[in-house]
Amino acid sequence: MSSSTKPVLMNQQEIEAIQKELGKDSLMGKSLKELILDTDKFMALGIDVPGHSPAGGYAHNKHTANAKYIDQAGRLFLITGEEKYAQFTADLITGYADKYLGMDFHEQKNTNPPGRFFHQMLNEHVWMLFVGLGYSCISAWLSEEQRQHIITKLFEPMLEVATVKYDHDFDRIHNHGVWAVAGVAAIGAAIGQEKYIDLSIHGLLNDDVTGGFLAQISKLFAPSGYYIEGPYYHRYAIRPLCLLAEITQRYRPELDIFNFKGQVIGKTIQAMLSSAYPNGVFPALNDASKTMGYSDEGVVTAVSLYAKHYPEDKNIYGIAKLQGRLWVSGCGAALSESYEAQDNVELPCLPSVELNEGPNGDRGAQAFIRSQNANGDISQVVMAYGQHGMGHGNFDGLGMTFFNNNQEVLREYGYGRWVNVEHKFGGRYLDENKSYARQTIAHNLVTVDEKCQNDFNVKLADSKHCEPHFFTGNAPIQAVSAFARDYYPGVDQQRSVLLVEHETLEHPLLVDLFRLDSEASHQYDYAIQYSGQIIRTNSDVKQHSTLNTLGSDFGYQHIWNEAQGAADADTTLVTWLQGESFYTWLSASSSDETLFFTRTGANDPDFNLRSETSLVLRRQAKDSLFASVVETHGFFDESTEVCNGATGKFTAVNVIGYSDAATVVEIIGDDVSLLVMVNNSPDVTEQTQATAEFGGVTYSWTGYFAVEPKA
Amino acid sequence: MSSSTKPVLMNQQEIEAIQKELGKDSLMGKSLKELILDTDKFMALGIDVPGHSPAGGYAHNKHTANAKYIDQAGRLFLITGEEKYAQFTADLITGYADKYLGMDFHEQKNTNPPGRFFHQMLNEHVWMLFVGLGYSCISAWLSEEQRQHIITKLFEPMLEVATVKYDHDFDRIHNHGVWAVAGVAAIGAAIGQEKYIDLSIHGLLNDDVTGGFLAQISKLFAPSGYYIEGPYYHRYAIRPLCLLAEITQRYRPELDIFNFKGQVIGKTIQAMLSSAYPNGVFPALNDASKTMGYSDEGVVTAVSLYAKHYPEDKNIYGIAKLQGRLWVSGCGAALSESYEAQDNVELPCLPSVELNEGPNGDRGAQAFIRSQNANGDISQVVMAYGQHGMGHGNFDGLGMTFFNNNQEVLREYGYGRWVNVEHKFGGRYLDENKSYARQTIAHNLVTVDEKCQNDFNVKLADSKHCEPHFFTGNAPIQAVSAFARDYYPGVDQQRSVLLVEHETLEHPLLVDLFRLDSEASHQYDYAIQYSGQIIRTNSDVKQHSTLNTLGSDFGYQHIWNEAQGAADADTTLVTWLQGESFYTWLSASSSDETLFFTRTGANDPDFNLRSETSLVLRRQAKDSLFASVVETHGFFDESTEVCNGATGKFTAVNVIGYSDAATVVEIIGDDVSLLVMVNNSPDVTEQTQATAEFGGVTYSWTGYFAVEPKA
């Protein structure tokens, strides 16, 4: 039987569109130049098809890289016509075909079944996708004998393993499942065995429900496009999703995949992009690295694909500018053409957005609020009040991070993992991911009684979700509010966060009103994860001469209690310096509360944790309101020895009153003082007229909240 | 009397040379564009001549900035002809003239006498220099009445204060003294009272010995051009030095200042430049920030001046490229012209150099060894074996730092200071500068008996210096060796450091042989200051469940003992990850030695210290050799999840033998093993034939040292 010799994702018209950018300064021209340099550098190392190694070891890394460069060299053969690329691709794939059936499966190490090249099939699926695509680019260049060798000794046995031996793992509704179906579809298409395309699209049962690509994209995302595990996993799933969407469009155009289910593919790409910080790095929602972002290949692929298949969105050009490159493909050619046609491409300030969660969009949400100042700097608040996020979920309902001046200010620790570093448990998740990074105290919110939300029980946590209260994404005052009920037994929580622009302030003021409601008395620890040098505090803090941990469980065992002192009788102030900016945190307090300065690293025998710092304001109470602000101020540059504005404008936060109905606080500053009023009723609307009486004074406003100048 | 109206440092020809670069993409054009943007931004804030504030406070910063922009705006008036610059300069200086005599002197806070604008005259001298130069640019534009107001109410009284009231502080031989004479000369020249130029050049006694510019430049620098306080203070002194040299050349050309004393000015500029790391940042020798470097205005001024007055040096262009700008002046115009005439300017790899210390060059030296690999990355060793450095000296004789991959690897803490941050003791040196940063244990060397070198006695330390042993700055094997005798009573020390290039290594191997010689037994703590995440160790280290300090004095009281364990019986190994690189330290050891993992921050009630980590290998011995290597290996990029080479090549360092005569060690690796032999005799020459017998084996070599492949 004669095999297919058609490139899966490159037709002649696309090849020519890419070819004409060779050597040009366009986005495609630059991306192509990079691709050639990168591929040539790898090819210069010579061919090596190694055996087994643990994750992060040489063989693991080499197998991964070989697949990547088979795809790249295959494309470059079609684009440049240079035979060296075909030869390299052919030699490498043939090397794999020579070895595959002679290699044993790895020993099984986790729930993921093992492959022959990799310790888990997930990596083997990834490998299949890129090798299938790369092979298809050179298949016409191969002899029929060479093709048959590769097909019978490598591709067909691999398809058998993926769809028969491990059928239970093949087309499940999970981000790993997308790699599986995409890998199988790519090889199926490459060798002209289209039944594998159909299995991939419709599932082994051909029901579009239990598995397959259509079921996956129907179920994995909320109506908003948000992916339950967060952006770090979203961008991992988006790459096979985009590649399989392209395959589907070419081989099964009748499915009209890019308009499938209300354009779910376009919507989920937009949702993923809209979660990023202004520097293009994703907030580490759930288990995630601190550095994953727009520069990831998956995101680059998604942006090119979006530009080709969906209506023009100028922010897509801005994102492509941040990325500085594109996916060298027909999609990329389309992006490059429209990008170069723009008069001017600005770095984007994406609109503020609330992304709902759950299959019906009714299981909480994630808020992304942005405000750009006159100097172009973007402040961003991220607040998590959606679902738990399954096995990778962090126990941080109502958690919040804050970003400006090109740095994360109220910080997320990220995962406890040194990805692909073999000496760190083979690069896998470390014990400290569970014992610290996912615990409530590791985040910017309140920990009750030194315990974790939902008792660190994933099943319990997955059964709950937070309740959105209100979201307003319009300047000058943007705000979000949500409830977390019974995340701690008998304690209800409400967090309202406002980002307030004001003419006297260079950066917007972050206002954080964290309210707890309980019949019984509890210990409440309001924590802020910061980075940098403490500049001053008005708390009478004493450093400990011997360091002990802040507690014994739920993450506290990993935290050194470095210093503590009585909180200020009125407003506790701490200023720190991070990079070139000062930040001052002011929180309404009383002198029977305690302020702690902490650092991670305790009970960490293998030095797995990074050394990070936090502030913890502790009080004992039933109902309570933590009313805080974070002011961004000043400038410090050690190298030029310039320092300005080390003292902030604000001096006090006073709680006027709070109840189930309303919260009123005043924020006092040198030349700006504000009265902040929030309606706490779950059924508030934009039209609700509210009045609240505290201390004999009546406060009135319309809608969710009001911020007024204070006389 | 009619006053001078001549610009001190800008003649018509120079003005025209600068003018023709306006709007061009040349180095001058870009610098000019920046200067205009920067100046216009400051002018937009409006005129403000405030009163007093502490160092780092608003008024302090404003007075400093006002002087800077008076100089800049003055120059821009001559270059652009725009009257707004003259008006701004005139208004600001007149504002000062209106206020000066009505202002009280600050209260005296340190040994530096106070000024009227600033808490110390040093800052007032700086102010005088820039205001004098700026004034001279617009004096012709002013009315005679305006000039007389400024001269009689501001400049003449200031000159009186500088040269009469504080005559003892005026022309001393010190880096501060250079600012004093330059400030007085600039104002004297600006108002045509040339006696002040002569006082500045020849000293109050007109003897060229006790004071004045000529005496300063004759005495401040070693024959090598090195400045005793180190590069941080050198670059501070270099700016007034260059400006006053320019004034001298114009007003007293007969002195031929640029050829004075064997071209001491050119030589000292070269010495300063040659101390920097490849990224242009100065090593923090003695009290110094970690970020001062080529981008400093003083260095920018010096590079422009060198280009104009000294023979062509291609490295100067490379340094200017790193700086990205120049001094907008006649000197800068000369630099720009020759820079733009180059076909191609490469970033420089400066030659390895040993800079001698002391007036006669016989009080030790500082070594700067560089090696550039095939990828262009430069490794650099800095070893300090010169003088103590007076009041700013650190107690780190034989101290060493190491730099590659664009980061400092074996690190210097730098000063204990948050410069110009008012809440940090007015931005001045903090107590922790003495109690930690200057102590021996804060550095990369051996601390004996938990004490400081020379008992932290500045006078005692200034009376001593290290003894150079040998220096070889030629690849592939570069080396330096020196002795420190009696820095601890009864203990002599020798350190030999080799930087070894080898075909199997991507980066050169650092070999460190630290030998101690004593009749009595001592505790030796060999410390390495590192940054990053510990990846693995073969030491059986246990983390402490409660943290205590490593000791009680001499800096130890600031160090937390985080973890400790018995050293390996043969070779102790620690790998850490800094940025994108892995570093493995291997040190010959025995199991009765102890390895500590430490972190700074103890006994630091005001959070003045940064949190930094070190390794300490402790042993009890009389004579002893710490034989270590640092291997640079691998690559990690979290954002792309790529990790390679996390395991280094080397596995053991074995001491074959050591004595007063010789040291022989072997370094064992996977595919490279080396035998290192060093002649320890102080009178060794390049021709010396050495033999040493250890364990019945005879080792022979010629010269200072030999590195041979080991079979």
Side-chain angles (χ1 to χ4, degrees), chain B residues 226-338:
Chain B
Y226 190 78
Y227 176 61
I228 183 171
E229 291 185 302
Y232 178 76
Y233 292 92
H234 199 170
R235 68 82 213 174
Y236 187 64
I238 208 80
R239 195 167 181 200
L241 187 156
C242 288
L243 295 172
L244 183 48
E246 279 292 304
I247 294 172
T248 304
Q249 179 74 352
R250 283 154 206 255
Y251 286 82
R252 299 294 179 263
E254 63 277 14
L255 291 175
D256 193 15
I257 192 73
F258 292 113
N259 287 312
F260 180 74
K261 214 191 166 206
Q263 301 191 335
V264 61
I265 291 174
K267 200 177 280 175
T268 204
I269 290 172
Q270 283 283 8
M272 178 185 70
L273 296 174
S274 73
S275 67
Y277 285 135
N279 62 352
V281 172
F282 292 125
L285 290 158
N286 296 333
D287 286 345
S289 90
K290 299 279 296 167
T291 48
M292 186 54 68
Y294 285 168
S295 61
D296 178 71
E297 293 288 346
V299 186
V300 171
T301 303
V303 167
S304 291
L305 177 136
Y306 192 97
K308 165 109 183 253
H309 296 292
Y310 292 100
E312 182 173 57
D313 172 355
K314 300 273 183 187
N315 283 331
I316 288 287
Y317 302 135
I319 291 168
K321 184 174 188 174
L322 258 174
Q323 294 175 321
R325 64 200 180 92
L326 48 66
W327 176 31
V328 175
S329 65
C331 291
L335 169 59
S336 186
E337 194 180 350
S338 44

Side-chain angles (χ1 to χ4, degrees), chain B residues 101-211:
Chain B
L101 289 173
M103 284 172 79
D104 290 329
F105 284 90
H106 277 248
E107 205 181 316
Q108 186 150 357
K109 283 279 181 59
N110 60 27
T111 55
N112 220 305
R116 277 194 169 97
F117 302 140
F118 295 95
H119 68 294
Q120 56 179 4
M121 275 302 288
L122 169 60
N123 301 73
E124 210 119 318
H125 291 140
V126 175
W127 190 96
M128 289 170 73
L129 173 52
F130 294 110
V131 173
L133 295 177
Y135 165 85
S136 78
C137 294
I138 65 148
S139 57
W141 182 86
L142 296 171
S143 69
E144 182 61 24
E145 190 186 358
Q146 286 174 304
R147 285 194 293 268
Q148 287 305 328
H149 177 64
I150 292 167
I151 291 168
T152 57
K153 302 293 183 194
L154 181 65
F155 286 161
E156 287 178 342
M158 287 192 100
L159 289 167
E160 183 80 4
V161 169
T163 61
V164 179
K165 178 178 168 75
Y166 295 139
D167 56 351
H168 59 283
D169 194 55
F170 170 61
D171 58 1
R172 56 201 179 113
I173 313 297
H174 185 276
N175 83 64
H176 292 186
V178 187
W179 283 105
V181 295
V184 166
I187 288 190
I191 64 176
Q193 298 192 23
E194 299 204 3
K195 73 172 177 180
Y196 287 106
I197 299 176
D198 295 318
L199 283 179
S200 296
I201 293 175
H202 302 293
L204 292 176
L205 300 182
N206 194 31
D207 62 2
D208 289 334
V209 173
T210 53

Side-chain angles (χ1 to χ4, degrees), chain A residues 56-57 61 232 235-236 289-293 295-296 415 417-424 530 533-537 541 543-549 560 562-563 575 577 582 597 599-611 636-648, chain B residues 56-57 61 232 235-236 289-293 295-296 415 417-424 530 533-537 541 543-549 560 562-563 575 577 582 597 599-611 636-648:
Chain A
N61 290 341
Y232 178 75
R235 69 79 215 175
Y236 188 63
S289 91
K290 298 281 295 168
T291 48
M292 186 54 67
S295 62
D296 177 70
Y415 56 32
R417 180 182 191 182
W418 294 91
V419 64
N420 287 329
V421 179
E422 57 182 317
H423 300 295
K424 291 294 192 190
Y530 74 94
Q533 193 76 20
I534 296 294
I535 297 299
R536 66 171 178 137
T537 176
V541 64
Q543 198 191 33
H544 295 290
S545 57
T546 302
L547 296 197
N548 288 287
T549 60
W560 295 115
E562 289 199 320
T575 298
L577 171 66
F582 295 94
F597 292 74
R599 179 180 294 279
T600 52
N603 285 298
D604 180 24
D606 299 321
F607 304 96
N608 285 338
L609 290 171
R610 298 192 312 277
S611 179
F636 175 70
D637 177 17
E638 191 190 58
S639 71
T640 55
E641 307 199 339
V642 170
C643 179
N644 293 309
T647 307
Chain B
N61 289 342
Y232 178 76
R235 68 82 213 174
Y236 187 64
S289 90
K290 299 279 296 167
T291 48
M292 186 54 68
S295 61
D296 178 71
Y415 56 32
R417 180 182 191 182
W418 294 92
V419 65
N420 287 330
V421 179
E422 58 183 315
H423 300 294
K424 291 292 191 191
Y530 75 94
Q533 192 76 20
I534 296 294
I535 296 299
R536 65 172 179 136
T537 177
V541 64
Q543 197 191 34
H544 294 292
S545 56
T546 300
L547 296 197
N548 288 286
T549 60
W560 294 116
E562 289 200 319
T575 298
L577 171 66
F582 295 94
F597 292 75
R599 180 179 293 279
T600 53
N603 285 297
D604 180 23
D606 299 321
F607 304 96
N608 285 338
L609 290 171
R610 298 193 312 277
S611 178
F636 175 71
D637 177 16
E638 191 188 59
S639 72
T640 55
E641 309 200 337
V642 170
C643 179
N644 292 309
T647 306

Side-chain angles (χ1 to χ4, degrees), chain A residues 372-389:
Chain A
Q372 188 163 30
N373 74 3
N375 296 328
D377 186 62
I378 300 170
S379 291
Q380 179 167 335
V381 171
V382 178
M383 187 163 133
Y385 50 105
Q387 301 180 93
H388 173 67

Side-chain angles (χ1 to χ4, degrees), chain A residues 27 163 180-181 183 196 221 271 339 355 545 575 688:
Chain A
L27 204 50
T163 61
V181 295
Y196 287 106
F221 310 110
Y339 182 99
L355 299 177
S545 57
T575 298
T688 307

